[in-house]
Every structure is written in C-alpha cells, then in structure tokens.
Amino acid sequence: MNRSGLTISLLVAFASLGLGCKDQQQPPQQPNGYYAQQPGAYPQQPGAYPQQPGAYPQQPGAYPQQPYGQQQPGAYPQQPGAYPQQPGAYPQPGAYPQQPGAYPQQPAAPSQPASGATGGSAQALDPNLAALATGPLGIFANTEAPGMAKDGPVVAGNFQEGQTLESTFTFQPGKCYTLVAQGAGVTSLQLEMQYVAPIPGFALSIGKSSQTGSQASIGGKANCLRPLSPLAANAKFIVRAVKGSGIAAAQLYSK
C-alpha cells in the first residue's frame, strides 16, 4: 500500500470512532435550583409540613394555642365559694375564707392576775360568823387600845389575797382614835385611814399600819390619832389582805 492509501484508511478509522462516542447515553440534567439526591440520602417523608415563610409550622399532636385569659380545656374548674379574681386587687383585703374542717380560731384567754394582785372587795361577813378572827381581836385590842371604847360595829369579811374591805366613820375633833385588826388565814394585814374626798382618787391619808403579820393597828399603845381640823370630817378605814386568804376582822376605838 502506498502513502495515499494509508492516509485514507486512518481517516476512515477516526470517523468511525467519533460516531461511536456520540451514540453513548448522556446523563440526565437536574433542574436548576435543586441538588440531585445522592445515593443513600434519606428520602423526604410524605405528609411533612412545608416550610412557611417567617414562622415554624405547628407540630402534629401539639396543643392548640388558646387566646390569653381563656381557660384551657380540661383545666380544673373554679371551686364554689372561692373569691373571684378581681383585676388588680384581692377580693377581701386582709382576710381569707376559712377552709372546711379547719379548727375555729379561739379567743385569747384572759390573763390571770398575779399572786397578791387579785384586788376587788372581800365578802362581808356577820361578825358572829367570824369568831376565828373576832375572838383574838378582843385580846389584841386590850394591848393596843387600853381604856378606849368601841366606835362603831366590828367589820369582818372573807378575804382573798389582795382584796379589801372598807367602813366609814366620823373623824371628830376632841377625840383620839385607834384601829385594830386580826386575821385568821390571812398572814399579812394592812390598815389605812383616809378622809373621804368629794373627788374620787384624791383621798388624803390619815395614817397607815406598819406591821407585817396577821395583826395590825394604827394609833395603838397610847399613840392614838387626833384630828387637826376643828371641824368634823367624813373618813373611812380600809382593811387589806396583803398575803394569804381567810377571815379578818377590824374594830375602831376612840376616847
């Protein structure tokens, strides 16, 4: 074969090779804007929510969103008797209703007076029923008011600690006065003489006893009390049970 025949044979061979390449199948082109799904990737699930612009889609099974202030379905209803919620304020200021079954609030018990501070008036007794005190009283008067006469009746009473008993008399000029008292069960007595003042709380004291036992006296043993005023005045004496409780009797003497 000469050179011209060899050249023509090569051209024919190259032309056949080019036609064979054109017959091979080209890969399909993917639409613009989407990536082709790669082998092994998860396929998109059917029924999925599409992405909404500007908000997340609501998930299946989530509770629906209720308007603000409305009661949720299935919530507990308001109990009967409860106070309604008022906007910006409690229903009853400073107090809540008492719950059923709660113990009622008990009033505070009154405070008891301390020992020796009972106060008040003693129970007056007939002197004949107070012999435990009136018997020793006569003996005590013989030493405290010798030569003096009784001025008024015997005053007797049943005392609790701190209680008092009073009796009035006329404090006359020209006379001298002695007061004696005896206790039975009352371990400490106190005596006082006062002018009766027209205004309560402004009584002027005439004298007080200084003893601390079951016997007490004012103006005893030749030290009787004499009025300084030339005019008669209304007065009173007070018997007080400082300690102990029981019967006490008192007698005023003058001369």
PDB file of all heavy atoms in Angstrom, residues 223-245:
ATOM      1  N   ASN A 223     -50.714  55.971 171.306  1.00  0.00           N
ATOM      2  CA  ASN A 223     -50.343  56.813 170.166  1.00  0.00           C
ATOM      3  C   ASN A 223     -51.552  57.050 169.247  1.00  0.00           C
ATOM      4  O   ASN A 223     -51.423  57.063 168.020  1.00  0.00           O
ATOM      5  CB  ASN A 223     -49.222  56.149 169.355  1.00  0.00           C
ATOM      6  CG  ASN A 223     -47.922  56.053 170.143  1.00  0.00           C
ATOM      7  OD1 ASN A 223     -47.483  57.017 170.776  1.00  0.00           O
ATOM      8  ND2 ASN A 223     -47.298  54.866 170.100  1.00  0.00           N
ATOM      9  N   CYS A 224     -52.705  57.216 169.839  1.00  0.00           N
ATOM     10  CA  CYS A 224     -53.938  57.369 169.061  1.00  0.00           C
ATOM     11  C   CYS A 224     -53.892  58.641 168.215  1.00  0.00           C
ATOM     12  O   CYS A 224     -53.145  59.582 168.506  1.00  0.00           O
ATOM     13  CB  CYS A 224     -55.146  57.386 169.993  1.00  0.00           C
ATOM     14  SG  CYS A 224     -55.080  58.659 171.274  1.00  0.00           S
ATOM     15  N   LEU A 225     -54.677  58.656 167.164  1.00  0.00           N
ATOM     16  CA  LEU A 225     -54.683  59.752 166.186  1.00  0.00           C
ATOM     17  C   LEU A 225     -55.735  60.780 166.554  1.00  0.00           C
ATOM     18  O   LEU A 225     -56.897  60.437 166.825  1.00  0.00           O
ATOM     19  CB  LEU A 225     -54.967  59.193 164.787  1.00  0.00           C
ATOM     20  CG  LEU A 225     -53.987  58.129 164.263  1.00  0.00           C
ATOM     21  CD1 LEU A 225     -54.401  57.691 162.856  1.00  0.00           C
ATOM     22  CD2 LEU A 225     -52.557  58.644 164.250  1.00  0.00           C
ATOM     23  N   ARG A 226     -55.350  62.072 166.516  1.00  0.00           N
ATOM     24  CA  ARG A 226     -56.255  63.174 166.820  1.00  0.00           C
ATOM     25  C   ARG A 226     -56.443  64.032 165.577  1.00  0.00           C
ATOM     26  O   ARG A 226     -55.465  64.347 164.884  1.00  0.00           O
ATOM     27  CB  ARG A 226     -55.712  64.041 167.958  1.00  0.00           C
ATOM     28  CG  ARG A 226     -55.522  63.283 169.261  1.00  0.00           C
ATOM     29  CD  ARG A 226     -54.946  64.188 170.347  1.00  0.00           C
ATOM     30  NE  ARG A 226     -54.729  63.457 171.597  1.00  0.00           N
ATOM     31  CZ  ARG A 226     -55.662  63.285 172.528  1.00  0.00           C
ATOM     32  NH1 ARG A 226     -56.879  63.778 172.367  1.00  0.00           N
ATOM     33  NH2 ARG A 226     -55.374  62.619 173.658  1.00  0.00           N
ATOM     34  N   PRO A 227     -57.685  64.464 165.308  1.00  0.00           N
ATOM     35  CA  PRO A 227     -57.925  65.344 164.154  1.00  0.00           C
ATOM     36  C   PRO A 227     -57.254  66.692 164.358  1.00  0.00           C
ATOM     37  O   PRO A 227     -57.243  67.251 165.460  1.00  0.00           O
ATOM     38  CB  PRO A 227     -59.438  65.475 164.111  1.00  0.00           C
ATOM     39  CG  PRO A 227     -59.972  64.341 164.912  1.00  0.00           C
ATOM     40  CD  PRO A 227     -58.941  64.069 165.958  1.00  0.00           C
ATOM     41  N   LEU A 228     -56.682  67.229 163.287  1.00  0.00           N
ATOM     42  CA  LEU A 228     -56.072  68.552 163.344  1.00  0.00           C
ATOM     43  C   LEU A 228     -57.100  69.647 163.064  1.00  0.00           C
ATOM     44  O   LEU A 228     -56.924  70.796 163.492  1.00  0.00           O
ATOM     45  CB  LEU A 228     -54.934  68.638 162.314  1.00  0.00           C
ATOM     46  CG  LEU A 228     -53.776  67.649 162.521  1.00  0.00           C
ATOM     47  CD1 LEU A 228     -52.742  67.822 161.394  1.00  0.00           C
ATOM     48  CD2 LEU A 228     -53.130  67.856 163.888  1.00  0.00           C
ATOM     49  N   SER A 229     -58.182  69.312 162.355  1.00  0.00           N
ATOM     50  CA  SER A 229     -59.192  70.294 161.991  1.00  0.00           C
ATOM     51  C   SER A 229     -60.186  70.460 163.142  1.00  0.00           C
ATOM     52  O   SER A 229     -60.536  69.485 163.830  1.00  0.00           O
ATOM     53  CB  SER A 229     -59.935  69.848 160.726  1.00  0.00           C
ATOM     54  OG  SER A 229     -61.031  70.710 160.465  1.00  0.00           O
ATOM     55  N   PRO A 230     -60.659  71.675 163.381  1.00  0.00           N
ATOM     56  CA  PRO A 230     -61.682  71.886 164.418  1.00  0.00           C
ATOM     57  C   PRO A 230     -63.059  71.428 163.976  1.00  0.00           C
ATOM     58  O   PRO A 230     -64.013  71.482 164.771  1.00  0.00           O
ATOM     59  CB  PRO A 230     -61.654  73.399 164.640  1.00  0.00           C
ATOM     60  CG  PRO A 230     -61.170  73.968 163.345  1.00  0.00           C
ATOM     61  CD  PRO A 230     -60.234  72.954 162.771  1.00  0.00           C
ATOM     62  N   LEU A 231     -63.186  71.006 162.732  1.00  0.00           N
ATOM     63  CA  LEU A 231     -64.461  70.567 162.182  1.00  0.00           C
ATOM     64  C   LEU A 231     -64.466  69.055 162.000  1.00  0.00           C
ATOM     65  O   LEU A 231     -63.442  68.446 161.691  1.00  0.00           O
ATOM     66  CB  LEU A 231     -64.737  71.232 160.833  1.00  0.00           C
ATOM     67  CG  LEU A 231     -64.763  72.778 160.825  1.00  0.00           C
ATOM     68  CD1 LEU A 231     -64.953  73.293 159.400  1.00  0.00           C
ATOM     69  CD2 LEU A 231     -65.872  73.299 161.738  1.00  0.00           C
ATOM     70  N   ALA A 232     -65.636  68.469 162.199  1.00  0.00           N
ATOM     71  CA  ALA A 232     -65.788  67.032 161.982  1.00  0.00           C
ATOM     72  C   ALA A 232     -65.654  66.735 160.488  1.00  0.00           C
ATOM     73  O   ALA A 232     -66.056  67.530 159.628  1.00  0.00           O
ATOM     74  CB  ALA A 232     -67.132  66.547 162.509  1.00  0.00           C
ATOM     75  N   ALA A 233     -65.112  65.586 160.161  1.00  0.00           N
ATOM     76  CA  ALA A 233     -64.894  65.222 158.761  1.00  0.00           C
ATOM     77  C   ALA A 233     -65.282  63.761 158.539  1.00  0.00           C
ATOM     78  O   ALA A 233     -65.139  62.917 159.436  1.00  0.00           O
ATOM     79  CB  ALA A 233     -63.439  65.425 158.370  1.00  0.00           C
ATOM     80  N   ASN A 234     -65.794  63.511 157.357  1.00  0.00           N
ATOM     81  CA  ASN A 234     -66.103  62.131 156.984  1.00  0.00           C
ATOM     82  C   ASN A 234     -64.800  61.393 156.650  1.00  0.00           C
ATOM     83  O   ASN A 234     -63.951  61.901 155.921  1.00  0.00           O
ATOM     84  CB  ASN A 234     -67.030  62.097 155.770  1.00  0.00           C
ATOM     85  CG  ASN A 234     -68.397  62.674 156.081  1.00  0.00           C
ATOM     86  OD1 ASN A 234     -68.908  62.531 157.208  1.00  0.00           O
ATOM     87  ND2 ASN A 234     -69.018  63.326 155.107  1.00  0.00           N
ATOM     88  N   ALA A 235     -64.690  60.183 157.176  1.00  0.00           N
ATOM     89  CA  ALA A 235     -63.473  59.397 156.969  1.00  0.00           C
ATOM     90  C   ALA A 235     -63.845  57.925 156.794  1.00  0.00           C
ATOM     91  O   ALA A 235     -65.010  57.528 156.950  1.00  0.00           O
ATOM     92  CB  ALA A 235     -62.519  59.588 158.136  1.00  0.00           C
ATOM     93  N   LYS A 236     -62.847  57.133 156.453  1.00  0.00           N
ATOM     94  CA  LYS A 236     -63.049  55.686 156.301  1.00  0.00           C
ATOM     95  C   LYS A 236     -61.758  54.970 156.652  1.00  0.00           C
ATOM     96  O   LYS A 236     -60.675  55.567 156.637  1.00  0.00           O
ATOM     97  CB  LYS A 236     -63.473  55.332 154.872  1.00  0.00           C
ATOM     98  CG  LYS A 236     -62.403  55.605 153.815  1.00  0.00           C
ATOM     99  CD  LYS A 236     -62.897  55.213 152.435  1.00  0.00           C
ATOM    100  CE  LYS A 236     -61.830  55.485 151.364  1.00  0.00           C
ATOM    101  NZ  LYS A 236     -62.291  55.083 150.004  1.00  0.00           N
ATOM    102  N   PHE A 237     -61.904  53.680 157.031  1.00  0.00           N
ATOM    103  CA  PHE A 237     -60.708  52.857 157.178  1.00  0.00           C
ATOM    104  C   PHE A 237     -60.807  51.669 156.208  1.00  0.00           C
ATOM    105  O   PHE A 237     -61.885  51.201 155.856  1.00  0.00           O
ATOM    106  CB  PHE A 237     -60.492  52.400 158.622  1.00  0.00           C
ATOM    107  CG  PHE A 237     -61.584  51.545 159.199  1.00  0.00           C
ATOM    108  CD1 PHE A 237     -61.631  50.162 158.945  1.00  0.00           C
ATOM    109  CD2 PHE A 237     -62.559  52.085 160.030  1.00  0.00           C
ATOM    110  CE1 PHE A 237     -62.620  49.367 159.495  1.00  0.00           C
ATOM    111  CE2 PHE A 237     -63.559  51.298 160.579  1.00  0.00           C
ATOM    112  CZ  PHE A 237     -63.589  49.929 160.314  1.00  0.00           C
ATOM    113  N   ILE A 238     -59.629  51.197 155.799  1.00  0.00           N
ATOM    114  CA  ILE A 238     -59.521  50.154 154.773  1.00  0.00           C
ATOM    115  C   ILE A 238     -58.693  49.008 155.348  1.00  0.00           C
ATOM    116  O   ILE A 238     -57.588  49.226 155.876  1.00  0.00           O
ATOM    117  CB  ILE A 238     -58.841  50.685 153.487  1.00  0.00           C
ATOM    118  CG1 ILE A 238     -59.598  51.908 152.958  1.00  0.00           C
ATOM    119  CG2 ILE A 238     -58.763  49.601 152.420  1.00  0.00           C
ATOM    120  CD1 ILE A 238     -58.845  52.667 151.873  1.00  0.00           C
ATOM    121  N   VAL A 239     -59.228  47.792 155.272  1.00  0.00           N
ATOM    122  CA  VAL A 239     -58.526  46.585 155.688  1.00  0.00           C
ATOM    123  C   VAL A 239     -58.137  45.844 154.402  1.00  0.00           C
ATOM    124  O   VAL A 239     -58.989  45.540 153.562  1.00  0.00           O
ATOM    125  CB  VAL A 239     -59.408  45.695 156.572  1.00  0.00           C
ATOM    126  CG1 VAL A 239     -58.633  44.459 157.043  1.00  0.00           C
ATOM    127  CG2 VAL A 239     -59.961  46.492 157.749  1.00  0.00           C
ATOM    128  N   ARG A 240     -56.845  45.531 154.267  1.00  0.00           N
ATOM    129  CA  ARG A 240     -56.344  44.862 153.053  1.00  0.00           C
ATOM    130  C   ARG A 240     -55.615  43.574 153.434  1.00  0.00           C
ATOM    131  O   ARG A 240     -54.777  43.576 154.344  1.00  0.00           O
ATOM    132  CB  ARG A 240     -55.384  45.776 152.299  1.00  0.00           C
ATOM    133  CG  ARG A 240     -54.859  45.180 150.973  1.00  0.00           C
ATOM    134  CD  ARG A 240     -53.807  46.092 150.356  1.00  0.00           C
ATOM    135  NE  ARG A 240     -54.313  47.430 150.160  1.00  0.00           N
ATOM    136  CZ  ARG A 240     -55.011  47.830 149.084  1.00  0.00           C
ATOM    137  NH1 ARG A 240     -55.257  46.962 148.116  1.00  0.00           N
ATOM    138  NH2 ARG A 240     -55.446  49.069 148.985  1.00  0.00           N
ATOM    139  N   ALA A 241     -55.935  42.488 152.704  1.00  0.00           N
ATOM    140  CA  ALA A 241     -55.211  41.218 152.868  1.00  0.00           C
ATOM    141  C   ALA A 241     -54.018  41.229 151.913  1.00  0.00           C
ATOM    142  O   ALA A 241     -54.165  40.999 150.720  1.00  0.00           O
ATOM    143  CB  ALA A 241     -56.123  40.045 152.569  1.00  0.00           C
ATOM    144  N   VAL A 242     -52.844  41.514 152.468  1.00  0.00           N
ATOM    145  CA  VAL A 242     -51.641  41.602 151.635  1.00  0.00           C
ATOM    146  C   VAL A 242     -51.177  40.216 151.216  1.00  0.00           C
ATOM    147  O   VAL A 242     -50.817  39.991 150.056  1.00  0.00           O
ATOM    148  CB  VAL A 242     -50.532  42.355 152.387  1.00  0.00           C
ATOM    149  CG1 VAL A 242     -49.268  42.422 151.542  1.00  0.00           C
ATOM    150  CG2 VAL A 242     -50.997  43.748 152.762  1.00  0.00           C
ATOM    151  N   LYS A 243     -51.194  39.274 152.154  1.00  0.00           N
ATOM    152  CA  LYS A 243     -50.798  37.899 151.855  1.00  0.00           C
ATOM    153  C   LYS A 243     -51.771  36.933 152.509  1.00  0.00           C
ATOM    154  O   LYS A 243     -52.261  37.173 153.602  1.00  0.00           O
ATOM    155  CB  LYS A 243     -49.381  37.615 152.363  1.00  0.00           C
ATOM    156  CG  LYS A 243     -48.287  38.339 151.601  1.00  0.00           C
ATOM    157  CD  LYS A 243     -46.928  37.932 152.128  1.00  0.00           C
ATOM    158  CE  LYS A 243     -45.811  38.655 151.378  1.00  0.00           C
ATOM    159  NZ  LYS A 243     -44.473  38.260 151.902  1.00  0.00           N
ATOM    160  N   GLY A 244     -52.008  35.819 151.823  1.00  0.00           N
ATOM    161  CA  GLY A 244     -52.887  34.799 152.354  1.00  0.00           C
ATOM    162  C   GLY A 244     -54.348  35.109 152.113  1.00  0.00           C
ATOM    163  O   GLY A 244     -54.718  36.183 151.631  1.00  0.00           O
ATOM    164  N   SER A 245     -55.196  34.144 152.438  1.00  0.00           N
ATOM    165  CA  SER A 245     -56.644  34.303 152.295  1.00  0.00           C
ATOM    166  C   SER A 245     -57.330  33.662 153.494  1.00  0.00           C
ATOM    167  O   SER A 245     -56.827  32.702 154.075  1.00  0.00           O
ATOM    168  CB  SER A 245     -57.131  33.663 150.985  1.00  0.00           C
ATOM    169  OG  SER A 245     -56.819  32.276 150.946  1.00  0.00           O
TER     170      SER A 245
END
